[in-house]
Amino acid sequence: MTQNAPPGDRIAKVLSRAGIASRREAERMIESGRVRVNGKLIDSAALNVTAQDKIVVDGKPVGEPEPPRIWLYHKPAGLVTTERDERDRDTVFDALPDDMPRVMSVGRLDINSEGLLLLTNDGGVKRRLELPSTGWLRRYRVRIKGSASEAKLDQLREGITVEGINYQPMVVTFDRQQGANAWLTISIREGKNREIRRVMEAIGTTVNRLIRVSYGPFQLGDLKAGDVEEVKRRVVRDQLGLEGEKPQPSRRRKPPRPAK
């Protein structure tokens, strides 16, 4: 005789839906003793909880799950896309406005890259947008030192292997030469770690500026560096195939003023 599964959802899934962290990050938080359920400290993610259970993370009660939300953030160069940095460098999350809810980044931009970074309060949305199967095109404006011939760029258009890593064919346009530099527009679907920088090095050029201008249907547009703009709920529903929500107006937030 088989026993019925316990009611509710796994604690890590609940924390993810509440915008606390991704499931994997939530599991690490549990293992490090940062989560209590009904007053009891838990050390294992193998626990189901229901709406009646009281969950506390780092001493703060976890509220009802919010509907999935997405923000556009214009990441400046010089920030790392991580919540905590081992080298104590400034992070994207340190720079967000104080009234932002807890959010996670969809993928990353390295410290020297800038432009569009998607933020979400929902771990499920984060995973969905990061999946290679989603196949959303990510478009970048790329400045390189020197120039690059069409023959070299054709290697990227056909797909290239660098140090044993296969990179899918890219959409590459040579835009213009500007003094000692040249500007390209490059579109990719995979978004592997430092993908554009590595393939450009492989064809003998160096990237000295990298700006992401779009991620799937989401555009950087005229969003200024450091600013955040929430995507309209209707657009989130339509793009992700969600149901239910009443649309809300988008809001643009400027970064907080530095303390004097």
Side-chain angles (χ1 to χ4, degrees):
M1 182 175 176
T2 58
Q3 294 183 338
N4 293 329
D9 291 312
R10 283 295 174 105
I11 178 70
K13 179 179 180 181
V14 172
L15 293 177
S16 175
R17 288 182 58 231
I20 300 300
S22 67
R23 287 193 195 185
R24 185 174 298 178
E25 290 166 345
E27 290 171 357
R28 287 197 289 263
M29 294 169 76
I30 291 166
E31 291 170 359
S32 60
R34 297 169 59 188
V35 181
R36 290 180 179 269
V37 176
N38 300 326
K40 182 180 178 181
L41 189 68
I42 63 171
D43 58 8
S44 170
L47 173 70
N48 279 32
V49 294
T50 68
Q52 285 68 48
D53 291 308
K54 294 182 179 179
I55 306 170
V56 174
V57 177
D58 294 335
K60 298 178 181 179
V62 175
E64 290 292 320
E66 281 195 338
R69 300 166 69 185
I70 294 175
W71 289 262
L72 312 179
Y73 174 58
H74 187 156
K75 176 194 173 296
L79 299 178
V80 293
T81 312
T82 183
E83 190 168 347
R84 294 179 181 85
D85 183 63
E86 296 175 353
R87 294 161 58 183
D88 201 28
R89 295 172 296 182
D90 292 333
T91 76
V92 163
F93 301 98
D94 294 333
L96 293 176
D98 294 336
D99 60 346
M100 281 282 288
R102 185 161 189 165
V103 292
M104 298 160 274
S105 67
V106 176
R108 294 187 177 190
L109 287 173
D110 67 53
I111 188 170
N112 295 316
S113 298
E114 53 195 293
L116 181 61
L117 183 67
L118 299 184
L119 305 171
T120 180
N121 66 329
D122 188 282
V125 168
K126 170 183 166 68
R127 287 192 304 279
R128 185 191 300 193
L129 298 187
E130 290 177 345
L131 284 173
S133 58
T134 303
W136 271 352
L137 205 65
R138 300 112 192 248
R139 187 161 51 94
Y140 297 79
R141 295 275 289 131
V142 182
R143 190 178 70 189
I144 60 172
K145 184 179 180 180
S147 191
S149 67
E150 286 298 317
K152 290 282 189 181
L153 298 180
D154 280 343
Q155 296 180 45
L156 309 186
R157 296 172 181 134
E158 294 168 2
I160 189 172
T161 300
V162 182
E163 296 180 352
I165 300 175
N166 298 320
Y167 296 98
Q168 291 183 1
M170 304 175 179
V171 180
V172 184
T173 303
F174 188 99
D175 295 328
R176 71 182 189 277
Q177 190 73 33
Q178 188 179 47
N181 298 308
W183 281 96
L184 313 174
T185 298
I186 300 180
S187 299
I188 61 177
R189 293 191 183 276
E190 288 184 296
K192 291 178 178 175
N193 184 35
R194 297 178 63 83
E195 179 169 349
I196 291 177
R197 296 183 188 275
R198 286 176 172 169
V199 299
M200 296 308 294
E201 287 175 4
I203 64 168
T205 61
T206 301
V207 173
N208 54 31
R209 193 171 183 192
L210 185 65
I211 309 167
R212 184 155 64 195
V213 295
S214 67
Y215 192 112
F218 303 109
Q219 306 286 325
L220 181 64
D222 62 355
L223 195 64
K224 295 180 180 179
D227 279 5
V228 183
E229 180 178 325
E230 183 173 3
V231 178
K232 292 181 180 179
R233 305 284 179 86
R234 171 183 55 78
V235 175
V236 175
R237 292 200 319 274
D238 291 348
Q239 294 297 339
L240 302 182
L242 304 175
E243 298 179 357
E245 299 275 328
K246 291 183 179 180
Q248 299 290 330
S250 64
R251 296 192 298 272
R252 179 172 296 192
R253 292 189 174 103
K254 293 185 177 180
R257 294 180 180 178
K260 294 182 179 180

